[in-house]
Amino acid sequence: AAELEYESVLCVKPDVNVYRIPPRTSNRGYRASDWKLDHPDWTGRLRVTSKGKTAYIKLEDKVSGELFAQAPIDQYPGIAVETVTDSSRYFVIRIQDGTGRSAFIGIGFTDRGDAFDFNVSLQDHFKWVKQETEISKESQEADTRPKLDLGFKEGQTIKLNIGNMTTKKGGAAKPRVSGSGGLSLLPPPPGGKIAVPPIPPPSSTAIANHVTPPPVLKSSNGSSADILLDLDAPASASKAPASATTDLWGDFSTASSAVPNQAPQQSNWVQF
């Protein structure tokens, strides 16, 4: 995994001064005023790189790019990089060579903005390292937890109830509109009316020829068949020829003409 890691550049500053610093006499920290700020021991270029989770401060020659010193940093803030107590432009770094020897030197920037960029580049890198460590820790904890098995076992089924799609048996049937003759008719549209066919007016001839015959008295000992015949009597009377019913007063005039002429008799009746 270490061979697959690549080196990325975090910050480059073209001007940096390097100072030999006296050993620290107390725990108060380093002071830049104790250094010979006007006479730096070396001047060159500073480059901050990272490879994996480790950052590197590299002091290189401005022209040839030859490495002068290198300071590996495992955490920040830490013992590998410290700030001085009396300035924000100067730092103390711990350089190391390939043999394991180390020394503390002082570095400083002429521009205060360069010092700010150097400080922020180290802070951003180790903030990313912290996030990566937390994510890997959470993933390892998730792998150790028992996993929830949501798969179907052999023979296991599932039942879904979607809305009111299932019909209950024995439910009340919807009312249906029935017309004459047992035929089902559709209900009228909303706001519509069913047109009723007009009844034709009776003709004058039917009114003149329609005569209700007098009721026929039946004896009390008549059978039920006679009663049924009475119900059919109006129908049979209506089938009589029209000549018999056109002049109802003809019988009375015939009877009066058949009586012989007699001499008028004196009576108390008033003759009409």
Side-chain angles (χ1 to χ4, degrees):
E3 295 178 355
L4 297 176
E5 293 177 351
Y6 60 92
E7 186 179 26
S8 60
V9 179
L10 303 179
C11 179
V12 176
K13 294 302 174 182
D15 293 320
V16 63
N17 299 324
V18 177
Y19 303 91
R20 289 182 180 180
I21 61 175
R24 184 165 49 180
T25 58
S26 65
N27 294 329
R28 292 183 306 172
Y30 295 97
R31 292 174 59 89
S33 59
D34 297 337
W35 308 343
K36 297 178 182 181
L37 301 179
D38 295 337
H39 301 86
D41 296 306
W42 184 84
T43 302
R45 180 181 66 186
L46 180 141
R47 193 161 58 99
V48 181
T49 64
S50 65
K51 189 174 183 180
K53 296 182 179 181
T54 305
Y56 296 90
I57 300 175
K58 296 183 178 183
L59 302 175
E60 301 171 345
D61 187 81
K62 292 183 180 180
V63 180
S64 63
E66 183 181 358
L67 181 63
F68 171 76
Q70 176 177 273
I73 305 171
D74 297 330
Q75 61 180 358
Y76 182 78
I79 193 174
V81 179
E82 297 182 42
T83 58
V84 297
T85 58
D86 57 347
S87 177
S88 62
R89 296 187 292 116
Y90 297 91
F91 302 87
V92 177
I93 63 175
R94 185 184 62 182
I95 60 175
Q96 294 179 351
D97 58 3
T99 61
R101 294 182 302 176
S102 62
F104 290 92
I105 62 174
I107 61 173
F109 300 93
T110 305
D111 190 359
R112 195 175 301 274
D114 293 342
F116 176 79
D117 295 340
F118 168 76
N119 189 19
V120 169
S121 64
L122 293 176
Q123 288 180 353
D124 291 344
H125 171 72
F126 285 98
K127 185 183 296 183
W128 170 81
V129 171
K130 184 179 179 180
Q131 293 176 353
E132 289 293 322
T133 305
E134 293 177 354
I135 293 173
S136 61
K137 185 178 179 181
E138 291 177 358
S139 62
Q140 291 177 0
E141 292 178 355
D143 294 338
T144 57
R145 296 173 187 172
K147 296 182 179 179
L148 182 61
D149 187 9
L150 300 177
F152 285 97
K153 306 299 185 296
E154 185 178 358
Q156 187 177 4
T157 59
I158 187 172
K159 181 179 180 181
L160 298 178
N161 186 11
I162 304 175
N164 296 325
M165 294 182 64
T166 56
T167 305
K168 297 181 179 179
K169 295 182 179 180
K174 294 183 180 180
R176 300 177 64 183
V177 181
S178 300
S180 60
L183 299 176
S184 59
L185 301 177
L186 294 175
K193 296 182 179 180
I194 299 176
V196 181
I199 300 174
S203 59
S204 58
T205 307
I207 294 175
N209 295 337
H210 180 72
V211 177
T212 304
V216 180
L217 297 178
K218 298 291 182 179
S219 61
S220 60
N221 56 356
S223 61
S224 60
D226 298 333
I227 297 175
L228 295 177
L229 293 175
D230 294 340
L231 297 177
D232 297 333
S236 60
S238 60
K239 295 179 182 179
S243 60
T245 58
T246 43
D247 192 3
L248 298 177
W249 306 100
D251 296 338
F252 293 95
S253 59
T254 306
S256 59
S257 61
V259 178
N261 295 331
Q262 296 179 3
Q265 297 180 2
Q266 296 294 327
S267 64
N268 295 329
W269 296 95
V270 179
Q271 185 176 4
F272 290 91

